[in-house]
Amino acid sequence: MSLTTYCPADGTRIPAGSLTWRCPVCQGPLDLDYSPTPSPLKSLTGRTSSMWRYAECLPLPRPDCTLGEGRTPLVPLTAEVDAKLDFLNPTLSFKDRGAVMLAALATRLGPERVIADSSGNAGTAIAAYCARARLACTVYVPEGTSAKKLEQIRAHGARLEVVEGDREATARAARTAADEDGVFYASHVYNPYFLHGTKTYVHELWEDLGGRLPESLVLPVGNGTLLLGAALAVAELHHAGLIDRRPALHAVQSAAVAPLARAWQAGSDEIVVDPAPAPTAAEGIAIPNPPRARQILRAVRESGGAFHTVTEDQIRHAQLDLASRGLYVESTGAVCWAATREGGAVGGRSVVVPLCGAGLKTGLAPDHGSV
Ligand SMILES: Cc1ncc(COP(=O)(O)O)c(C=O)c1O
């Protein structure tokens, strides 16, 4: 399938099968010109038990490097709220859904090296899928990234570059390396194929709920890859007439690093970058300057949802509460439950929260004295 990427800001078009990773005009992220039609529920019976069961919605065929990602369980937390256990993906986070797409694309392009930058989980996922696909890989992470994530990246054989400074400094270092010859920049932020992997989270929900979606989807947002993937899937299902009502997308940020939630509250389309954000246990969403900010704000607004912030204490409470229910997730993985559980801001008759990173990757969020 020969597809085109385009810049959502200025319309510049680029063939999808190239190493160009951003818009040459405005330097922004690219989207994929691809609007597939999902199959009706009954035609899914008997298909492979991974995200590749939604083949007609995926821009690449199932690659040899698949690790069986997707098809994660949905379990009830309360009468209204279900949790989707995306930490049960092969590398223990939802990023596998997008990483397999980028490794598949890289295999086709045959670069000398694959580069990724990450707060940990995306880098781990890219490292694993590159190992599987026998692609040389370098992962840039910020200093302070959880030791277990670093261990996992190294174990997959990737070269690890620990960058002094925050996630922004890490992204800058990776972007410089990405412009070198023969490099495929497996950016979960800039490369739109990633979003066509994460969208399978919603296709699965739709299938598991018998052909419907909940009233509200609560989603953690740093760079917004799960949220934007979810918005893509909702649009596909709605356009195909397979749902008649779109769910509200509720985006959750840590109060310590909340550029999008602040813009939302100010009624603005522009984020104001905090040069010195406070530390947060939710390292996966500590993104001060997300390149897809406008798209994320628009997707939440168009869905009828809202932005929410959670404090460090709420994150730790939620993590402990989930553990008391048998679910040990990493601190970032607890933020949606923190926004939803008793006293949280997200309500509704049917709500799904993702638990999207495993607890053993980070351990418990630190106790600041009030838990
Ligand atoms: C466990 C977990 N949840 C949520 C996120 C946020 O994803 P995004 O930055 O794409 O919004 C991440 C990102 O690394 C993560 O690791």
Side-chain angles (χ1 to χ4, degrees):
M1 189 181 332
S2 163
L3 295 172
T4 304
T5 51
Y6 67 96
C7 172
D10 60 35
T12 303
R13 295 181 76 82
I14 299 154
S18 86
L19 295 177
T20 305
W21 57 271
R22 63 178 162 186
C23 173
V25 178
C26 73
Q27 322 300 320
L30 299 168
D31 279 349
L32 195 62
D33 194 356
Y34 178 60
S35 307
T37 304
S39 292
L41 208 50
K42 58 178 184 317
S43 68
L44 299 174
T45 313
R47 292 196 183 184
T48 183
S49 183
S50 74
M51 64 178 239
W52 297 97
R53 67 198 276 108
Y54 310 106
E56 57 280 295
C57 291
L58 298 174
L60 294 169
R62 179 164 55 150
D64 291 343
C65 66
T66 179
L67 292 164
E69 49 287 332
R71 292 303 282 155
T72 55
L74 190 63
V75 300
L77 290 176
T78 66
E80 294 82 26
V81 184
D82 286 337
K84 187 159 169 62
L85 310 191
D86 246 36
F87 66 91
L88 295 179
N89 272 299
T91 77
L92 310 180
S93 88
F94 80 95
K95 300 285 187 184
D96 293 350
R97 297 177 184 274
V100 68
M101 301 297 287
L102 297 192
L105 191 57
T107 303
R108 293 177 155 220
L109 297 175
E112 283 161 35
R113 180 158 288 276
V114 175
I115 297 270
D117 58 308
S118 164
S119 57
N121 280 332
T124 306
I126 299 285
Y129 284 91
C130 280
R132 179 85 166 165
R134 306 216 169 283
L135 293 160
C137 174
T138 302
V139 180
Y140 291 74
V141 294
E143 60 184 353
T145 300
S146 290
K148 288 288 170 195
K149 293 181 183 173
L150 303 184
E151 184 184 312
Q152 199 179 353
I153 292 168
R154 277 199 199 97
H156 289 307
R159 195 196 301 163
L160 192 61
E161 297 282 349
V162 180
V163 179
E164 226 176 276
D166 64 3
R167 182 66 182 81
E168 272 308 297
T170 306
R172 278 195 301 275
R175 286 172 208 159
T176 304
D179 283 330
E180 286 167 17
D181 284 347
V183 168
F184 175 76
Y185 185 24
S187 170
H188 57 293
V189 185
Y190 281 84
N191 194 311
Y193 279 82
F194 197 92
L195 307 179
H196 285 273
T198 58
K199 75 182 181 186
T200 56
Y201 173 86
V202 165
H203 284 288
E204 285 172 21
L205 274 180
W206 171 78
E207 185 180 354
D208 286 346
L209 294 174
R212 62 171 193 86
L213 287 175
E215 201 173 282
S216 301
L217 290 174
V218 190
L219 299 153
V221 172
N223 278 307
T225 63
L226 189 55
L227 185 134
L228 290 172
L232 276 177
V234 169
E236 287 170 8
L237 290 164
H238 193 254
H239 192 252
L242 294 170
I243 49 170
D244 47 21
R245 196 183 40 78
R246 297 171 191 240
L249 304 183
H250 287 275
V252 183
Q253 297 212 286
S254 133
V257 188
L260 292 156
R262 280 203 311 274
W264 177 266
Q265 274 143 23
S268 170
D269 277 348
E270 301 291 339
I271 56 169
V272 178
V273 180
D274 180 350
T280 175
E283 62 185 7
I285 51 171
I287 309 293
N289 191 10
R292 292 193 188 266
R294 279 172 164 267
Q295 282 180 299
I296 299 167
L297 287 161
R298 190 171 61 240
V300 172
R301 193 181 315 110
E302 286 177 358
S303 78
F307 274 83
H308 309 272
T309 57
V310 289
T311 64
E312 296 303 297
D313 276 351
Q314 285 175 313
I315 294 171
R316 184 175 157 88
H317 276 283
Q319 203 180 2
L320 286 168
D321 181 69
L322 287 167
S324 77
R325 296 163 188 265
L327 296 161
Y328 191 47
V329 303
E330 68 168 276
S331 316
T332 311
V335 299
C336 292
W337 180 233
T340 308
R341 68 189 281 254
E342 208 182 332
V346 184
R349 274 169 295 144
S350 63
V351 181
V352 173
V353 297
L355 305 183
C356 47
L360 292 177
K361 288 186 177 230
T362 64
L364 280 175
D367 184 354
H368 295 291
S370 55
V371 179

